[in-house]
Amino acid sequence: MTMRPGALVLIIALLALSTAARAQDRAPAQRQTLIDLAYVLGESHALRQACEGPDDQYWRDRMRDLVRAETPDADLDRRLKTAFNSGFIAGQTGFPACGRASRREEARLAARGRALADSLTGPMANDAPPR
């Protein structure tokens, strides 16, 4: 199993989320960003499995880490899981086999995931009023 550069960037961004605000403290736009990130993780999971095999759970485990760090309420938890599963299906459908196209898509998804994670952890992300 090899670590691709784009994957490393996304991992670093996801780790930064663990110190960010929890889901219940996030504004609605940030909650939507979490859902968008879950979709990207689902797509990434499908692409990685196409290349590494169906037993690879790398991105599913990162999704679990995200949910654990955010501790979402029941509605957001359901929406995150639905987004992940939808992204997984889209990734499987669009790239059923490993190849150059799937590797390019992985790199695109890594950039998208990083941008989403950065928007949740950047200087403006925690501007919610203190409790």
Side-chain angles (χ1 to χ4, degrees):
M1 181 176 351
T2 59
M3 176 70 64
R4 289 173 286 286
L8 184 57
V9 169
L10 186 54
I11 292 166
I12 292 167
L14 285 172
L15 289 174
L17 281 174
S18 66
T19 61
R22 299 207 183 255
Q24 64 269 18
D25 298 330
R26 292 191 182 278
Q30 290 177 324
R31 291 167 69 94
Q32 182 57 52
T33 300
L34 286 169
I35 292 165
D36 295 343
L37 182 57
Y39 186 91
V40 168
L41 290 173
E43 283 184 291
S44 297
H45 183 56
L47 293 173
R48 185 169 172 112
Q49 280 193 335
C51 293
E52 303 296 334
D55 292 335
D56 187 282
Q57 297 299 305
Y58 187 80
W59 289 116
R60 183 179 302 279
D61 291 343
R62 302 298 76 74
M63 178 64 189
R64 283 189 193 119
D65 293 344
L66 173 66
V67 170
R68 195 173 301 121
E70 290 290 330
T71 60
D73 56 47
D75 179 58
L76 182 58
D77 184 64
R78 178 188 51 76
R79 293 173 69 201
L80 290 169
K81 290 173 182 173
T82 297
F84 180 90
N85 291 334
S86 296
F88 181 77
I89 292 166
Q92 275 188 323
T93 303
F95 299 91
C98 186
R100 254 195 305 242
S102 67
R103 298 287 187 187
R104 278 192 305 272
E105 183 64 5
E106 269 187 308
R108 186 192 72 76
L109 289 171
R112 173 81 175 127
R114 179 175 185 202
L116 290 166
D118 285 351
S119 75
L120 291 167
T121 60
M124 302 287 291
N126 296 319
D127 282 349
R131 297 207 260 167

